[in-house]
Amino acid sequence: MVRSEGARQIGEAAGAAPEGAARPAPRHVAIIMDGNGRWAASRGLPRFEGHRRGVEAVRRAVRSAITLGIGYLTVYSFSSENWRRPPSEISELMGLLKLFVRGDLADLHANNVRVRVIGDRADLSPDIAGLLDEAETRTRANTGLTLVVAFNYGGRQEILRAVRRIASAVAEGRLRPDEIELSTVTDALDTAGIPDPDLVIRTSGEQRLSNFLTWQTAYTEYVIEPGFWPDFDHDAFLAAVSEYHRRDRRFGGLSAGAG
């Protein structure tokens, strides 16, 4: 099997020495990958080319996460609202997903990357659902970077699914209303077992949440990257992590230096 250039570079990064060792890497980084279409338009290229180059940026982000020693990387690959896009663009995006899974899964697995998928799979086509299941099943025992793919995902929809699971447990007598805690909700979310993000990076300069990890980002630091997603590289990743390290995370309390 001939390895793709992107997959080869993932393997190289897995053996690299971690950078920024003086400060521990954030345990979980999530990325809103925005600006593929605008990147293409600014160059007179079709939107599909922007999405294709965006997949290359995903590969770079995975390599960077491995190099930096990050434990969890979540990428917002396709939102619940993205189905409103033209059918031709949706078809292109599904094709890219298939190419990514078929072309990169073996190398992700070989480099000890575990794949988790969050989002609603209830009405997905069998071929797409099968690919997502394959990615999770094949890499389930891996212990390195966890790559969380948010596909057909929306934060409010995720909370709604969690509420319905909890309501069913109450209705069936398995849970009393006064037993519901914050942890009850957390454990009912798609991200059960995954720590909340320490850092969310959003590209293209947009400053909004876009229904992404609504529950999980209550105390997350945000870094806005002005460049479009296809241009996001290791230097941009490293700059975002450096900005995260400059933040004073108090979680509602006082900083260590407060008088």
Side-chain angles (χ1 to χ4, degrees):
M1 175 180 174
V2 178
R3 301 176 70 190
S4 67
E5 177 64 14
R8 180 186 65 79
Q9 291 174 337
I10 288 173
E12 290 174 353
E19 297 181 24
R23 300 290 301 273
R27 187 180 184 193
H28 183 178
V29 175
I31 305 179
I32 300 175
M33 307 180 295
D34 197 13
N36 289 347
R38 280 167 287 169
W39 180 92
S42 69
R43 289 161 174 77
L45 299 172
R47 287 179 63 85
F48 175 76
E49 182 62 17
H51 294 312
R52 189 188 71 79
R53 292 290 292 270
V55 172
E56 295 177 5
V58 172
R59 295 189 181 107
R60 291 196 297 269
V62 170
R63 297 195 298 269
S64 292
I66 294 172
T67 301
L68 294 168
I70 291 164
Y72 297 81
L73 175 68
T74 297
V75 292
Y76 202 3
S77 66
F78 193 84
S79 77
S80 304
E81 289 75 28
N82 285 157
W83 296 108
R84 302 172 186 169
R85 296 188 177 188
S88 59
E89 183 172 350
I90 292 173
S91 178
E92 291 169 348
L93 289 168
M94 295 304 108
L96 284 173
L97 173 67
K98 293 176 184 178
L99 286 173
F100 179 78
V101 173
R102 290 169 179 162
D104 290 68
L105 182 59
D107 291 276
L108 291 170
H109 179 46
N111 287 290
N112 202 27
V113 175
R114 181 184 182 187
V115 177
R116 283 274 304 268
V117 181
I118 60 174
D120 188 0
R121 299 189 221 181
D123 297 320
L124 295 179
S125 62
D127 58 335
I128 295 297
L131 280 174
L132 300 179
D133 289 343
E134 177 189 354
E136 287 191 309
T137 300
R138 188 170 181 182
T139 63
R140 183 166 291 150
N142 292 344
T143 58
L145 172 71
T146 296
L147 175 62
V148 184
V149 180
F151 183 83
N152 194 24
Y153 176 85
R156 288 180 173 179
Q157 292 87 335
E158 178 190 26
I159 293 170
L160 177 60
R161 289 193 297 275
V163 169
R164 285 174 173 166
R165 293 183 187 114
I166 294 168
S168 293
V170 172
E172 294 166 6
R174 295 183 284 112
L175 183 69
R176 296 198 315 268
D178 60 358
E179 292 176 327
I180 299 173
E181 307 283 351
L182 289 175
S183 60
T184 311
V185 180
T186 297
D187 292 342
L189 294 170
D190 297 355
T191 53
I194 298 173
D196 290 344
D198 302 292
L199 168 64
V200 168
I201 303 168
R202 178 162 191 155
T203 57
S204 85
E206 302 288 352
Q207 301 186 47
R208 56 180 176 270
L209 188 57
S210 293
N211 203 18
F212 182 53
L213 299 177
T214 310
W215 176 277
Q216 298 89 338
T217 55
Y219 284 100
T220 297
E221 299 295 327
Y222 268 73
V223 171
I224 305 301
E225 162 63 36
F228 297 135
W229 175 245
D231 289 328
F232 191 82
D233 57 14
H234 183 71
D235 287 342
F237 205 136
L238 193 59
V241 171
S242 296
E243 172 60 27
Y244 163 80
H245 282 145
R246 287 191 287 270
R247 305 285 176 85
D248 181 12
R249 305 189 76 202
R250 298 184 300 277
F251 300 98
L254 297 176
S255 63

